């Protein structure tokens, strides 16, 4: 709580989309525009993933159209800004690098220099939640359902 005292102010999917798209424009201009960025309450962050980057392709007329979408666990709607930044950076890096390799993590560090420390802090927070600890920011678990 000393290091991250307050949650970020991106409460809506629209605000989240604008934030992520601005970051993409600043650092990854050559990557495709995102079609959707949302908080997803169906992602179980402790067991599965913090966020997801999906690409869906479909034929539209005579062309193949790809849609890029980022979904972030709804738990992070009430998290501190650095936690959200780490997840956003991770998912944006997947626009350029599909695998979790050296190039991927170098790109994450380029976008967020404190990436590895933030990832550790997020994992520690999730471990706290999994051990039965209360949420530190936002609504308690029972009130958010």
């Amino acid at each position: 709580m000393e290091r991250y005292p307050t949650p970020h102010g991106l409460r809506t999917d629209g605000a989240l989309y604008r934030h992520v798209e601005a970051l993409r424009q600043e650092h990854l201009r050559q990557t495709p525009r995102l079609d959707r960025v949302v908080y997803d309450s169906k992602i179980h962050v402790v067991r599965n993933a913090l966020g997801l980057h999906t690409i869906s392709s479909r034929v539209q007329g005579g062309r193949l159209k790809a849609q890029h979408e980022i979904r972030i666990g709804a738990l992070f709607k009430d998290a501190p800004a650095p936690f959200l930044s780490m997840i956003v950076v991770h998912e944006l890096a997947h626009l350029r690098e599909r695998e979790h390799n050296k190039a991927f993590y170098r790109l994450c560090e380029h976008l967020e220099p404190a990436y590895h420390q933030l990832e550790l802090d997020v994992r520690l927070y999730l471990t706290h939640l999994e051990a039965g600890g209360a949420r530190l920011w936002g609504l308690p678990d029972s009130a958010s359902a």
Side-chain angles (χ1 to χ4, degrees):
M1 287 302 290
E2 286 179 26
R3 188 180 289 178
Y4 310 109
T6 58
H8 61 78
L10 302 172
R11 306 294 306 151
T12 66
D13 290 343
L16 179 63
Y17 176 84
R18 288 186 295 278
H19 172 72
V20 173
E21 187 59 24
L23 236 130
R24 186 196 66 78
Q25 279 290 329
E26 182 180 345
H27 297 286
L28 301 168
R29 278 183 236 129
Q30 301 300 318
T31 59
R33 184 179 173 97
L34 295 165
D35 296 293
R36 191 170 174 200
V37 180
V38 295
Y39 291 111
D40 189 344
S41 61
K42 293 180 175 95
I43 297 174
H44 191 284
V45 296
V46 174
R47 289 191 205 112
N48 299 332
L50 307 177
L52 300 170
H53 169 249
T54 58
I55 301 171
S56 59
S57 299
R58 61 187 163 94
V59 176
Q60 186 172 12
R63 296 180 13 210
L64 186 64
K65 182 172 177 154
Q67 287 198 316
H68 296 270
E69 186 175 290
I70 291 177
R71 296 179 170 276
I72 295 175
L75 170 71
F76 295 102
K77 197 174 206 178
D78 296 314
F83 285 15
L84 182 65
S85 175
M86 187 280 299
I87 297 162
V88 166
V89 160
H90 183 100
E91 299 308 327
L92 282 174
H94 279 304
L95 290 173
R96 188 169 290 161
E97 293 289 335
R98 303 252 185 215
E99 302 296 321
H100 293 115
N101 54 26
K102 281 185 180 182
F104 174 84
Y105 286 108
R106 274 196 305 267
L107 180 57
C108 287
E109 286 177 322
H110 171 72
L111 296 172
E112 174 57 65
Y115 176 82
H116 292 293
Q117 181 63 51
L118 291 171
E119 185 177 25
L120 174 65
D121 292 346
V122 167
R123 301 276 179 207
L124 289 172
Y125 177 55
L126 294 176
T127 301
H128 162 78
L129 293 176
E130 190 173 26
R135 285 191 179 185
L136 300 179
W137 305 275
L139 301 171
D141 288 326
S142 59
S144 65

